[in-house]
């Protein structure tokens, strides 16, 4: 058993510390104090949720390598939050956004799926030794976690980590690449929000649909939102943990069956129990979205799911090495190539469809940032539009598992 030299080794104390960090970040990010408002204008709160735990890890206060908190969060909380985030998908409302909004969102998804292999191929051709690797140290395994993150979010990133099992060193580098590159991209999208009128005018975009959507959202919020009762919250936990438990139970039968009858499918990670847990949890949530269980969103299903995501984010941050930028510049070059391909594809589709800048910005961030930051970008256009970011980001959670997996298989086939 690995011995830790960290100052704090008790996981109960570490969990309390992570909770305090999250509490500090969310308290200050919602503060009306001019300093914090200006600070969070430039530093996204989700970045701090990764970065502060990484500082505690870097300076030896806690030790992410010996802590069991990430294992707890990924095995128990991740399947639950996938159920709670996907059960609120309203396909009718998404279609109501119009084909242009969906086209730009899906363009962003395709940009991530194909951008990873393109980045790996181009940068790998220049630096084959740095972009190669074998076994758990293979770079493509680490890039698979970025694919999951940039289509769905932190939950899908954790899912891809468990499925493809990159080494701790490669994963810590990719976490840093993910956070730094994604947040630089979000800064560009926020600039677009500040200049939306000028961009839409230059592009000849029709924004009447967005104005109508703002009115519709404000009316829906007034009519449907309510404070959850204890009974409501217990129902949320029953659905989330119940279906997560069912996913675990089914995977216990599916994996041995495949190992016995089709062991060759191991190359596609179909003998990974965690792969089936994540896929089943996502599928259960999607099926629930067609039932009355969708009404659980009115009492905070996605909010409870998001809380679990942030706990997961903090435990992931415990493994982050902030010195990786200096040690692995080639990895960051790959991240820049990847996000650039995604961005060029998005800008091209924006021009082609003459769509409002809002659709591109939110469609992109719903992929790259997920539910944690898509509402931030949407609200930058208009506060009433924040739920649209959540709506598309939730669709991203549903696609992230499948899209990230597909991108990873392509990267595996072309890896140096």
């Amino acid at each position: 058993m690995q011995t830790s030299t960290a100052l704090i080794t008790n996981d109960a104390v570490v969990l309390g510390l992570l909770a305090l960090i999250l509490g500090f970040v969310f308290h200050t990010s919602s503060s009306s104090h001019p300093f914090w408002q200006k600070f969070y204008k430039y530093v996204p709160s989700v970045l701090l949720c990764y970065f502060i735990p990484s500082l505690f890890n870097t300076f030896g206060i806690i030790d992410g390598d010996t802590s069991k908190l990430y294992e707890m969060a990924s095995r128990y909380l991740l399947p639950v939050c996938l159920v709670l985030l996907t059960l609120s998908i309203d396909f009718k409302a998404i279609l109501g956004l119009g084909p242009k909004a969906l086209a730009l969102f899906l363009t962003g998804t395709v940009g991530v799926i194909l951008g990873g292999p393109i980045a790996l191929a181009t940068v790998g051709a220049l630096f084959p030794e740095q972009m190669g690797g074998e076994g758990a140290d293979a770079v493509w395994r680490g890039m698979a976690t970025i694919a999951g993150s940039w289509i769905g979010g932190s939950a899908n990133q954790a899912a891809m980590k468990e499925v493809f099992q990159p080494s701790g060193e490669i994963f810590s580098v990719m976490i840093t690449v993910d956070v730094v590159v994604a947040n630089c991209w979000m800064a560009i999208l926020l600039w677009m929000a500040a200049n939306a009128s000028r961009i839409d005018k230059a592009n000849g975009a029709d924004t009447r649909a967005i104005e109508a959507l703002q009115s519709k959202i404000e009316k829906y919020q007034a009519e449907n939102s309510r404070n959850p009762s204890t009974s409501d919250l217990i129902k949320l936990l029953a659905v989330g943990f119940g279906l997560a438990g069912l996913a675990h139970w089914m995977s216990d039968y599916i994996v041995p069956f495949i190992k016995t009858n089709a062991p060759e499918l191991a190359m596609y990670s179909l003998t990974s129990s965690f792969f089936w847990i994540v896929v089943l949890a996502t599928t259960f949530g999607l099926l629930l979205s067609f039932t009355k269980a969708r009404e659980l969103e009115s009492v905070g299903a996605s909010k409870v799911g998001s809380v679990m995501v942030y706990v997961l984010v903090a435990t992931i941050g415990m493994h982050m090495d902030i010195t990786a930028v200096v040690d692995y510049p080639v990895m960051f070059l790959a991240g820049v190539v990847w996000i650039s391909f995604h961005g060029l594809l998005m800008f091209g589709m924006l021009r082609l469809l003459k769509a409002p800048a809002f659709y591109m910005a939110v469609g992109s961030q719903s992929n790259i940032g997920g539910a944690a930051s898509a509402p931030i970008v949407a609200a930058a256009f208009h506060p009433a539009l924040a739920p649209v970011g959540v709506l598309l980001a939730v669709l991203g959670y549903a696609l992230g598992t499948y899209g990230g997996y597909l991108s990873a298989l392509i990267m595996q086939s072309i890896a140096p």
Side-chain angles (χ1 to χ4, degrees):
M1 183 176 177
Q2 186 178 356
T3 303
S4 175
T5 58
L7 181 64
I8 302 174
T9 57
N10 185 327
D11 271 346
V13 180
V14 176
L15 180 60
L17 179 62
L18 294 181
L20 288 172
I21 290 171
L22 293 176
F24 168 78
V25 171
F26 279 88
H27 174 71
T28 53
S29 65
S30 60
S31 172
S32 58
H33 192 282
F35 170 78
W36 291 117
Q37 288 189 333
K38 184 174 292 187
F39 178 80
Y40 284 103
K41 182 179 179 181
Y42 300 102
V43 182
S45 58
V46 68
L47 177 60
L48 291 184
C49 294
Y50 279 118
F51 188 66
I52 296 178
S54 79
L55 290 178
F56 281 84
N57 183 53
T58 301
F59 294 110
I61 298 172
I62 59 178
D63 187 349
D65 291 334
T66 59
S67 172
K68 299 296 183 184
L69 288 179
Y70 174 75
E71 184 179 350
M72 176 278 296
S74 63
R75 294 286 169 172
Y76 301 143
L77 300 186
L78 171 60
V80 178
C81 74
L82 286 173
V83 171
L84 296 180
L85 289 168
T86 53
L87 69 80
S88 62
I89 287 180
D90 186 343
F91 284 103
K92 185 177 179 181
I94 291 175
L95 292 173
L97 294 174
K100 291 183 180 180
L102 284 176
L104 281 161
F105 170 80
L106 294 174
T107 297
T109 304
V110 172
V112 174
I113 292 174
L114 299 181
I118 288 172
L120 183 60
T122 54
V123 180
L126 298 173
F127 307 97
E129 293 183 0
Q130 290 95 324
M131 297 300 292
E134 296 181 355
D137 290 320
V139 171
W140 71 265
R141 294 181 186 274
M143 292 180 72
T145 65
I146 296 182
S149 173
W150 285 2
I151 298 173
S154 301
N156 303 91
Q157 179 183 52
M160 292 300 101
K161 177 183 184 295
E162 290 300 314
V163 169
F164 293 105
Q165 294 289 317
S167 67
E169 183 180 17
I170 287 293
F171 182 62
S172 67
V173 174
M174 293 305 170
I175 282 288
T176 312
V177 172
D178 174 11
V179 173
V180 173
V181 175
N183 281 288
C184 288
W185 176 247
M186 190 171 84
I188 295 173
L189 298 180
L190 291 173
W191 175 87
M192 287 183 64
N195 297 273
S197 298
R198 194 169 64 187
I199 295 172
D200 289 336
K201 185 177 180 180
N203 197 31
D206 183 358
T207 60
R208 286 178 295 180
I210 295 177
E211 293 165 4
L213 185 60
Q214 288 176 199
S215 299
K216 182 179 179 181
I217 289 172
E218 289 168 345
K219 182 180 179 183
Y220 178 84
Q221 288 178 330
E223 293 177 351
N224 291 276
S225 61
R226 62 185 176 88
N227 289 326
S229 64
T230 301
S231 176
D232 292 326
L233 294 175
I234 291 296
K235 288 176 184 176
L236 282 180
L237 294 180
V239 170
F241 281 97
L243 289 177
L246 179 60
H248 275 270
W249 180 77
M250 290 179 67
S251 73
D252 287 341
Y253 287 91
I254 293 172
V255 171
F257 178 82
I258 294 176
K259 285 183 176 178
T260 302
N261 296 282
E264 65 277 6
L265 294 179
M267 66 179 293
Y268 298 110
S269 302
L270 295 183
T271 54
S272 164
S273 61
F274 199 81
F275 169 79
W276 285 107
I277 291 168
V278 169
V279 168
L280 288 169
T282 301
T283 303
F284 292 154
L286 289 172
L287 292 175
L288 284 182
S289 71
F290 293 99
T291 70
K292 286 187 176 181
R294 278 180 53 198
E295 296 173 2
L296 288 172
E297 175 58 22
S298 66
V299 294
S302 62
K303 289 188 176 89
V304 174
S306 295
V307 168
M308 294 181 180
V309 167
Y310 275 103
V311 173
L312 183 62
V313 164
T315 63
I316 289 174
M318 290 170 60
H319 294 82
M320 187 166 71
D321 180 3
I322 61 174
T323 63
V325 181
V326 178
D327 297 332
Y328 299 94
V330 172
M331 303 296 185
F332 283 88
L333 176 60
V336 171
V337 172
W338 194 343
I339 203 72
S340 297
F341 176 80
H342 165 86
L344 288 172
L345 211 59
M346 293 295 286
F347 277 114
M349 186 61 72
L350 181 74
R351 291 286 296 170
L352 181 66
L353 298 179
K354 293 189 180 298
F358 170 77
Y359 286 167
M360 183 210 144
V362 177
S364 174
Q365 194 62 25
S366 295
N367 281 286
I368 302 299
S373 57
I376 297 172
V377 172
F381 285 85
H382 189 283
L385 294 174
V388 177
V390 176
L391 196 63
L392 285 176
V394 167
L395 180 58
Y397 276 113
L399 296 177
T401 302
Y402 311 114
Y405 184 67
L406 175 61
S407 183
L409 293 182
I410 299 172
M411 288 189 284
Q412 180 184 15
S413 67
I414 66 168

